Amino acid sequence: MRTASIARKTHETDIAVEVNLDGTGTYQVSTGIGFLDHMIEQFSRHSLIDVTCRIVGDLHVDQHHTVEDSAIALGQCIAQALGDKAGIGRYGEAHSAMDEALARVVLDISGRPWLVWNVRFTQERLGEMDTELFEHWFQSMAQAAGITLHIEQLYGSNNHHIIEGVYKGFARAMRQAVERDPRKGGAVPSTKGILGAGSIGPESGD
């Protein structure tokens, strides 16, 4: 089983995260931000990655540190659990519909962190969560997990539907990308023979 865990305590957050890439989509999530809990739970359920995420953050200041650290720790756990990435699909893509909203998520576990974000909100908060922090969550996730991540809202008017479609699309794309392909025979999915750290040049991980 490809698993990893991280525990870290700073002046801003006390966090413990565990993942199992070969799970069934079970989760235990408590960040102190109800809407963020809901989104991470959606990610776990639809990616089939088991997630435990417990955070006590400085919410008396604002939500930034808690949101950021949840993504960093989860991304780092995913990267650790992937190891040398031998045999994985590497690429994933999904269109995710939720009522009137449609999102498209495309990703590459390339070792080259990048986020393209084309999502628009018409309200400042969903529940108690600041909507501007969703982009930062995915930016932190891309950096920590080492993935190239393109997220686009094709259309939609309900802010809840838009972001939930994004998280579900991200989950389904990650499920494709992390799953092992038996036809690859355990080979790293790159002509370089390596993905991520140790690659050289801007095109590393091709």
Coordinates of all heavy atoms in Angstrom, one line a residue, residues 19-101:
V19 N -2.3 9.8 4.2 CA -3.0 9.4 2.9 C -2.6 7.9 2.6 O -1.6 7.4 3.0 CB -2.6 10.2 1.7 CG1 -2.9 11.7 2.0 CG2 -1.1 10.1 1.3
N20 N -3.6 7.3 1.9 CA -3.4 6.0 1.3 C -3.9 6.0 -0.1 O -5.1 6.1 -0.3 CB -4.1 4.9 2.1 CG -4.1 3.5 1.5 OD1 -3.3 3.3 0.5 ND2 -4.8 2.6 2.1
L21 N -2.9 6.0 -1.0 CA -3.3 6.2 -2.4 C -4.1 5.0 -3.0 O -4.8 5.1 -4.0 CB -2.0 6.3 -3.3 CG -1.1 7.5 -3.0 CD1 0.0 7.6 -4.0 CD2 -1.9 8.8 -3.0
D22 N -4.0 3.9 -2.3 CA -4.7 2.6 -2.7 C -5.9 2.4 -1.9 O -6.2 1.2 -1.6 CB -3.7 1.5 -2.8 CG -2.5 1.7 -3.7 OD1 -2.7 2.0 -4.8 OD2 -1.4 1.7 -3.2
G23 N -6.5 3.4 -1.4 CA -7.6 3.3 -0.5 C -9.0 3.1 -1.2 O -9.1 2.7 -2.3
T24 N -10.0 3.4 -0.4 CA -11.4 3.3 -0.9 C -12.2 4.6 -0.8 O -13.4 4.7 -1.0 CB -12.2 2.2 -0.1 OG1 -12.1 2.6 1.3 CG2 -11.5 0.9 -0.3
G25 N -11.4 5.7 -0.5 CA -12.1 7.0 -0.3 C -12.7 7.3 1.0 O -13.7 8.0 1.1
T26 N -12.1 6.7 2.1 CA -12.5 7.0 3.4 C -11.8 8.2 4.0 O -10.6 8.5 3.6 CB -12.3 5.8 4.4 OG1 -10.9 5.5 4.5 CG2 -13.1 4.6 3.8
Y27 N -12.4 9.0 4.9 CA -11.8 10.2 5.3 C -12.2 10.5 6.7 O -13.2 10.1 7.2 CB -12.2 11.4 4.4 CG -13.7 11.5 4.2 CD1 -14.5 12.1 5.1 CD2 -14.3 10.9 3.0 CE1 -15.9 12.2 4.9 CE2 -15.6 11.0 2.8 CZ -16.4 11.7 3.8 OH -17.8 11.7 3.6
Q28 N -11.3 11.3 7.4 CA -11.5 11.9 8.7 C -10.9 13.3 8.6 O -9.6 13.4 8.5 CB -10.9 11.1 9.8 CG -11.5 9.8 10.1 CD -10.9 9.0 11.2 OE1 -10.4 9.7 12.2 NE2 -10.9 7.7 11.2
V29 N -11.7 14.3 8.5 CA -11.2 15.7 8.2 C -11.7 16.6 9.2 O -12.9 16.7 9.4 CB -11.6 16.1 6.8 CG1 -11.0 17.5 6.5 CG2 -11.1 15.1 5.7
S30 N -10.8 17.4 9.8 CA -11.2 18.5 10.7 C -10.2 19.6 10.6 O -9.1 19.5 11.1 CB -11.3 17.9 12.2 OG -11.6 19.0 13.1
T31 N -10.5 20.7 10.0 CA -9.6 21.8 9.8 C -10.1 23.0 10.6 O -9.3 24.0 10.7 CB -9.6 22.2 8.3 OG1 -10.8 22.7 7.9 CG2 -9.2 21.0 7.4
G32 N -11.3 23.0 11.1 CA -11.8 24.2 11.8 C -12.6 25.1 10.8 O -13.2 26.1 11.2
I33 N -12.5 24.7 9.5 CA -13.3 25.5 8.5 C -14.2 24.5 7.8 O -13.8 23.7 7.0 CB -12.3 26.1 7.5 CG1 -11.3 27.0 8.1 CG2 -13.1 27.0 6.4 CD1 -10.1 27.4 7.2
G34 N -15.5 24.6 8.1 CA -16.5 23.6 7.7 C -16.5 23.4 6.2 O -16.5 22.3 5.7
F35 N -16.4 24.5 5.4 CA -16.5 24.3 3.9 C -15.2 23.7 3.4 O -15.3 22.9 2.5 CB -16.7 25.7 3.2 CG -17.3 25.5 1.9 CD1 -18.6 25.4 1.6 CD2 -16.4 25.4 0.8 CE1 -19.1 25.3 0.3 CE2 -16.9 25.3 -0.5 CZ -18.3 25.2 -0.7
L36 N -14.1 24.0 4.0 CA -12.8 23.3 3.6 C -12.9 21.8 3.9 O -12.5 21.0 3.1 CB -11.6 24.0 4.2 CG -10.3 23.4 3.9 CD1 -10.0 23.5 2.4 CD2 -9.2 24.1 4.7
D37 N -13.4 21.5 5.1 CA -13.6 20.1 5.4 C -14.4 19.4 4.3 O -14.1 18.3 3.8 CB -14.4 19.9 6.7 CG -13.6 20.3 7.9 OD1 -12.4 20.7 7.8 OD2 -14.2 20.4 9.0
H38 N -15.5 20.0 3.9 CA -16.4 19.4 2.9 C -15.7 19.2 1.6 O -15.9 18.2 0.9 CB -17.6 20.4 2.7 CG -18.6 19.9 1.7 ND1 -19.1 18.6 1.7 CD2 -19.2 20.6 0.7 CE1 -20.0 18.5 0.7 NE2 -20.1 19.7 0.1
M39 N -14.8 20.1 1.2 CA -14.1 20.0 -0.1 C -13.0 18.9 0.0 O -12.9 18.1 -1.0 CB -13.5 21.3 -0.5 CG -14.4 22.4 -0.8 SD -15.5 22.0 -2.3 CE -17.0 21.5 -1.4
I40 N -12.3 18.8 1.1 CA -11.3 17.7 1.2 C -12.0 16.4 1.3 O -11.4 15.4 0.7 CB -10.4 18.0 2.4 CG1 -9.6 19.3 2.2 CG2 -9.4 16.8 2.7 CD1 -8.8 19.7 3.5
E41 N -13.1 16.3 1.9 CA -13.9 15.1 1.9 C -14.3 14.7 0.5 O -14.2 13.5 0.2 CB -15.1 15.2 2.8 CG -14.7 15.3 4.3 CD -15.9 15.8 5.2 OE1 -17.0 16.2 4.6 OE2 -15.7 15.9 6.4
Q42 N -14.7 15.6 -0.3 CA -15.1 15.3 -1.7 C -13.9 14.8 -2.4 O -14.0 13.9 -3.2 CB -15.6 16.6 -2.4 CG -16.9 17.1 -1.8 CD -18.1 16.2 -2.1 OE1 -18.0 15.3 -3.0 NE2 -19.2 16.3 -1.4
F43 N -12.7 15.4 -2.2 CA -11.5 15.0 -2.9 C -11.2 13.5 -2.5 O -10.9 12.7 -3.4 CB -10.3 15.9 -2.5 CG -9.0 15.3 -2.9 CD1 -8.6 15.3 -4.2 CD2 -8.1 14.7 -2.0 CE1 -7.4 14.8 -4.6 CE2 -6.9 14.1 -2.4 CZ -6.6 14.2 -3.7
S44 N -11.3 13.2 -1.2 CA -11.0 11.8 -0.8 C -12.0 10.8 -1.4 O -11.6 9.8 -2.0 CB -11.1 11.7 0.7 OG -10.9 10.4 1.2
R45 N -13.3 11.1 -1.3 CA -14.3 10.2 -1.8 C -14.2 9.9 -3.3 O -14.3 8.8 -3.7 CB -15.7 10.8 -1.5 CG -16.9 9.9 -2.0 CD -16.8 8.5 -1.4 NE -16.7 8.4 0.0 CZ -17.8 8.5 0.8 NH1 -19.0 8.6 0.3 NH2 -17.6 8.3 2.1
H46 N -13.9 10.9 -4.1 CA -14.0 10.8 -5.5 C -12.6 10.4 -6.1 O -12.6 9.9 -7.2 CB -14.5 12.0 -6.2 CG -16.0 12.2 -5.9 ND1 -17.0 11.6 -6.5 CD2 -16.6 13.0 -4.9 CE1 -18.1 11.9 -6.0 NE2 -17.9 12.8 -5.0
S47 N -11.5 10.5 -5.4 CA -10.2 10.1 -5.8 C -9.9 8.6 -5.3 O -9.0 8.0 -5.8 CB -9.1 11.0 -5.3 OG -9.0 10.9 -3.9
L48 N -10.7 8.2 -4.4 CA -10.5 6.9 -3.7 C -9.2 6.9 -2.9 O -8.6 5.9 -2.5 CB -10.5 5.7 -4.6 CG -11.8 5.5 -5.4 CD1 -11.8 4.2 -6.2 CD2 -13.0 5.4 -4.4
I49 N -8.6 8.1 -2.6 CA -7.5 8.2 -1.7 C -8.0 8.4 -0.3 O -8.7 9.4 0.0 CB -6.6 9.4 -2.2 CG1 -6.1 9.2 -3.6 CG2 -5.5 9.7 -1.2 CD1 -5.3 10.4 -4.1
D50 N -7.6 7.5 0.6 CA -8.0 7.7 2.0 C -7.2 8.9 2.6 O -6.0 9.0 2.4 CB -7.6 6.4 2.8 CG -8.5 5.2 2.4 OD1 -9.5 5.4 1.7 OD2 -8.1 4.1 2.8
V51 N -7.9 9.7 3.3 CA -7.3 11.0 3.8 C -7.7 11.1 5.3 O -8.9 11.1 5.6 CB -7.8 12.2 3.0 CG1 -7.3 13.5 3.7 CG2 -7.3 12.2 1.6
T52 N -6.7 11.3 6.1 CA -6.9 11.8 7.5 C -6.2 13.2 7.5 O -5.1 13.3 7.2 CB -6.3 10.9 8.5 OG1 -7.0 9.6 8.4 CG2 -6.5 11.5 9.9
C53 N -7.0 14.2 7.9 CA -6.4 15.6 8.0 C -7.0 16.3 9.2 O -8.2 16.6 9.3 CB -6.8 16.3 6.7 SG -6.2 18.0 6.6
R54 N -6.1 16.5 10.2 CA -6.5 17.2 11.4 C -5.6 18.4 11.6 O -4.4 18.3 11.6 CB -6.4 16.3 12.6 CG -7.3 15.1 12.5 CD -7.3 14.3 13.9 NE -8.2 13.2 13.8 CZ -7.9 12.0 13.5 NH1 -6.6 11.7 13.1 NH2 -8.7 11.0 13.5
I55 N -6.3 19.6 11.7 CA -5.5 20.8 11.9 C -6.2 21.7 13.0 O -7.4 21.8 13.0 CB -5.6 21.7 10.6 CG1 -5.1 20.9 9.4 CG2 -4.7 22.9 10.7 CD1 -5.2 21.6 8.1
V56 N -5.3 22.2 13.8 CA -5.7 23.3 14.7 C -4.9 24.5 14.3 O -3.7 24.5 14.4 CB -5.4 22.9 16.2 CG1 -5.8 24.1 17.1 CG2 -6.2 21.7 16.6
G57 N -5.6 25.5 13.7 CA -4.9 26.7 13.2 C -5.2 28.0 13.9 O -6.2 28.0 14.7
D58 N -4.5 29.0 13.5 CA -4.7 30.3 14.1 C -5.9 31.1 13.4 O -5.7 32.1 12.9 CB -3.4 31.1 14.1 CG -2.9 31.3 12.7 OD1 -3.4 30.7 11.8 OD2 -1.9 32.1 12.5
L59 N -7.0 30.5 13.5 CA -8.2 31.0 12.9 C -8.7 32.4 13.5 O -9.5 33.1 12.9 CB -9.4 30.0 12.9 CG -9.1 28.8 12.1 CD1 -10.3 27.8 12.2 CD2 -8.9 29.1 10.6
H60 N -8.1 32.7 14.7 CA -8.4 34.0 15.3 C -7.7 35.1 14.5 O -8.1 36.3 14.6 CB -8.0 34.0 16.7 CG -6.5 33.9 16.9 ND1 -5.9 32.6 16.8 CD2 -5.5 34.7 17.2 CE1 -4.6 32.8 17.0 NE2 -4.3 34.0 17.2
V61 N -6.7 34.7 13.7 CA -6.0 35.7 12.8 C -6.8 35.8 11.5 O -7.4 36.8 11.2 CB -4.6 35.3 12.6 CG1 -3.9 36.3 11.6 CG2 -3.8 35.2 13.9
D62 N -6.8 34.7 10.8 CA -7.6 34.5 9.6 C -7.4 33.1 9.1 O -6.9 32.2 9.8 CB -7.3 35.5 8.5 CG -5.9 35.3 7.9 OD1 -5.2 34.3 8.2 OD2 -5.5 36.2 7.1
Q63 N -8.0 32.7 7.9 CA -8.0 31.3 7.5 C -6.8 31.0 6.7 O -6.6 29.8 6.3 CB -9.2 31.1 6.7 CG -10.5 31.4 7.4 CD -11.7 31.2 6.5 OE1 -11.6 31.3 5.3 NE2 -12.9 31.1 7.1
H64 N -5.9 32.0 6.3 CA -4.9 31.7 5.3 C -3.9 30.6 5.7 O -3.7 29.7 4.9 CB -4.1 33.0 5.2 CG -3.0 33.0 4.1 ND1 -3.3 33.4 2.8 CD2 -1.8 32.4 4.1 CE1 -2.2 33.2 2.1 NE2 -1.3 32.6 2.8
H65 N -3.4 30.6 6.9 CA -2.4 29.6 7.3 C -3.0 28.2 7.3 O -2.4 27.2 6.9 CB -1.8 30.0 8.7 CG -1.1 31.3 8.7 ND1 -1.2 32.1 9.8 CD2 -0.3 31.9 7.8 CE1 -0.5 33.2 9.6 NE2 0.1 33.1 8.4
T66 N -4.2 28.1 7.8 CA -4.9 26.8 7.9 C -5.1 26.2 6.5 O -4.9 25.1 6.2 CB -6.2 26.9 8.7 OG1 -5.9 27.3 10.0 CG2 -6.9 25.6 8.7
V67 N -5.7 27.1 5.6 CA -5.9 26.6 4.2 C -4.6 26.2 3.6 O -4.5 25.2 2.9 CB -6.7 27.7 3.5 CG1 -6.8 27.4 2.0 CG2 -8.1 28.0 4.1
E68 N -3.6 27.1 3.6 CA -2.4 26.8 3.0 C -1.7 25.5 3.5 O -1.3 24.7 2.7 CB -1.4 28.0 3.2 CG 0.0 27.9 2.6 CD 0.8 29.1 2.9 OE1 1.0 29.4 4.1 OE2 1.2 29.7 1.9
D69 N -1.7 25.4 4.8 CA -1.0 24.2 5.4 C -1.7 22.9 5.1 O -1.1 21.9 5.0 CB -0.7 24.4 6.9 CG 0.4 25.4 7.2 OD1 0.9 26.0 6.2 OD2 0.7 25.6 8.4
S70 N -3.0 23.0 5.0 CA -3.8 21.8 4.7 C -3.4 21.3 3.3 O -3.2 20.1 3.1 CB -5.3 22.0 4.8 OG -5.7 22.8 3.7
A71 N -3.2 22.2 2.4 CA -2.8 21.8 1.0 C -1.4 21.4 0.9 O -1.1 20.4 0.2 CB -3.1 23.0 0.1
I72 N -0.5 22.1 1.6 CA 0.9 21.7 1.6 C 1.1 20.3 2.2 O 1.8 19.5 1.6 CB 1.7 22.7 2.4 CG1 1.8 24.1 1.6 CG2 3.2 22.2 2.6 CD1 2.4 25.2 2.4
A73 N 0.5 20.1 3.3 CA 0.7 18.8 4.0 C 0.1 17.6 3.2 O 0.7 16.6 3.0 CB 0.1 18.8 5.4
L74 N -1.1 17.9 2.6 CA -1.7 16.8 1.8 C -0.9 16.6 0.5 O -0.7 15.4 0.1 CB -3.2 17.3 1.5 CG -4.0 16.3 0.7 CD1 -4.1 14.9 1.4 CD2 -5.4 16.9 0.5
G75 N -0.5 17.6 -0.1 CA 0.4 17.5 -1.3 C 1.7 16.8 -1.0 O 2.1 15.9 -1.8
Q76 N 2.3 17.1 0.1 CA 3.6 16.4 0.5 C 3.3 14.9 0.7 O 4.2 14.1 0.3 CB 4.2 17.1 1.7 CG 4.8 18.5 1.4 CD 5.3 19.1 2.6 OE1 4.9 18.8 3.8 NE2 6.2 20.2 2.4
C77 N 2.2 14.6 1.4 CA 1.9 13.2 1.6 C 1.7 12.5 0.3 O 2.2 11.3 0.2 CB 0.7 13.1 2.5 SG 1.0 13.2 4.3
I78 N 1.0 13.1 -0.6 CA 0.8 12.4 -1.9 C 2.1 12.2 -2.6 O 2.4 11.1 -3.1 CB -0.2 13.2 -2.8 CG1 -1.6 13.2 -2.2 CG2 -0.2 12.7 -4.2 CD1 -2.6 14.2 -2.8
A79 N 3.0 13.2 -2.6 CA 4.3 13.0 -3.2 C 5.1 11.9 -2.6 O 5.7 11.1 -3.3 CB 5.0 14.4 -3.2
Q80 N 5.1 11.9 -1.3 CA 5.8 10.8 -0.6 C 5.3 9.4 -0.9 O 6.0 8.5 -1.1 CB 5.8 11.1 0.9 CG 6.7 12.3 1.4 CD 6.6 12.5 2.9 OE1 6.3 11.6 3.6 NE2 6.9 13.7 3.3
A81 N 4.0 9.3 -0.9 CA 3.3 8.0 -1.1 C 3.6 7.5 -2.5 O 3.7 6.3 -2.8 CB 1.8 8.1 -0.9
L82 N 3.8 8.5 -3.5 CA 4.0 8.1 -4.9 C 5.5 7.5 -5.0 O 5.7 6.8 -6.0 CB 3.8 9.3 -5.8 CG 2.4 9.6 -6.1 CD1 2.3 11.0 -6.8 CD2 1.8 8.6 -7.0
G83 N 6.4 7.9 -4.2 CA 7.7 7.4 -4.3 C 8.4 7.8 -5.6 O 8.3 9.0 -6.0
D84 N 9.0 6.9 -6.3 CA 9.6 7.2 -7.6 C 8.6 7.2 -8.7 O 9.0 7.4 -9.9 CB 10.7 6.2 -7.9 CG 10.2 4.7 -8.1 OD1 9.0 4.5 -8.1 OD2 11.0 3.8 -8.3
K85 N 7.3 7.0 -8.4 CA 6.2 7.1 -9.4 C 6.2 6.0 -10.5 O 5.6 6.1 -11.5 CB 6.3 8.5 -10.1 CG 6.2 9.7 -9.1 CD 6.3 11.0 -9.8 CE 6.4 12.2 -8.8 NZ 7.6 12.2 -8.0
A86 N 6.9 5.0 -10.2 CA 7.0 3.9 -11.1 C 5.7 3.3 -11.4 O 4.9 3.0 -10.5 CB 8.0 2.8 -10.6
G87 N 5.3 3.1 -12.7 CA 4.1 2.4 -13.1 C 2.8 3.2 -13.0 O 1.8 2.7 -13.4
I88 N 2.9 4.5 -12.6 CA 1.7 5.3 -12.5 C 1.2 5.8 -13.8 O 1.9 5.8 -14.8 CB 1.8 6.5 -11.5 CG1 2.8 7.5 -12.1 CG2 2.2 6.0 -10.1 CD1 2.8 8.8 -11.3
G89 N -0.1 6.2 -13.9 CA -0.6 6.7 -15.1 C 0.0 8.1 -15.5 O 0.1 8.5 -16.6
R90 N 0.3 8.8 -14.4 CA 1.0 10.2 -14.5 C 0.0 11.3 -14.9 O -0.1 12.3 -14.3 CB 2.2 10.2 -15.5 CG 2.8 11.5 -15.6 CD 4.0 11.5 -16.5 NE 4.4 12.9 -16.9 CZ 5.5 13.2 -17.6 NH1 6.3 12.3 -18.0 NH2 5.7 14.5 -17.9
Y91 N -0.8 11.1 -15.9 CA -1.7 12.1 -16.4 C -3.2 11.8 -16.0 O -3.6 10.6 -15.9 CB -1.7 12.2 -18.0 CG -0.4 12.6 -18.5 CD1 0.5 11.6 -19.0 CD2 0.0 13.9 -18.6 CE1 1.8 11.9 -19.5 CE2 1.3 14.2 -19.1 CZ 2.1 13.2 -19.6 OH 3.4 13.6 -20.1
G92 N -3.9 12.9 -15.8 CA -5.3 12.7 -15.5 C -6.1 13.9 -16.0 O -5.6 15.0 -16.0
E93 N -7.4 13.6 -16.3 CA -8.2 14.7 -16.8 C -9.7 14.3 -16.5 O -10.0 13.2 -16.5 CB -8.0 15.0 -18.3 CG -8.4 13.9 -19.2 CD -9.9 14.0 -19.6 OE1 -10.5 15.0 -19.4 OE2 -10.4 12.9 -20.1
A94 N -10.5 15.4 -16.2 CA -11.9 15.1 -15.9 C -12.7 16.4 -16.2 O -12.3 17.5 -15.9 CB -12.1 14.7 -14.4
H95 N -13.9 16.1 -16.7 CA -14.9 17.2 -16.8 C -15.9 16.8 -15.6 O -16.3 15.6 -15.5 CB -15.7 17.1 -18.1 CG -14.9 17.8 -19.2 ND1 -13.9 17.1 -19.9 CD2 -15.0 19.0 -19.8 CE1 -13.4 17.9 -20.8 NE2 -14.0 19.0 -20.8
S96 N -16.2 17.8 -14.8 CA -17.1 17.5 -13.7 C -18.3 18.5 -13.7 O -18.1 19.7 -13.6 CB -16.2 17.7 -12.4 OG -17.0 17.5 -11.2
A97 N -19.4 17.9 -13.8 CA -20.7 18.7 -13.8 C -21.3 18.7 -12.5 O -21.4 17.7 -11.8 CB -21.6 18.1 -14.9
M98 N -21.8 19.8 -12.1 CA -22.7 19.9 -10.9 C -23.8 20.9 -11.2 O -23.6 22.1 -11.2 CB -21.9 20.3 -9.6 CG -22.8 20.3 -8.4 SD -21.9 20.4 -6.9 CE -23.2 20.1 -5.7
D99 N -25.0 20.3 -11.5 CA -26.1 21.1 -11.9 C -25.7 22.0 -13.1 O -25.3 21.5 -14.1 CB -26.7 21.9 -10.8 CG -27.3 21.0 -9.7 OD1 -27.4 19.7 -10.0 OD2 -27.6 21.4 -8.6
E100 N -25.8 23.3 -13.0 CA -25.6 24.2 -14.1 C -24.1 24.5 -14.3 O -23.7 25.1 -15.4 CB -26.3 25.5 -13.9 CG -25.6 26.6 -13.1 CD -25.2 26.2 -11.7 OE1 -25.8 25.3 -11.1 OE2 -24.3 26.9 -11.1
A101 N -23.2 24.0 -13.4 CA -21.8 24.3 -13.5 C -21.0 23.2 -14.1 O -21.3 22.0 -13.9 CB -21.3 24.7 -12.1

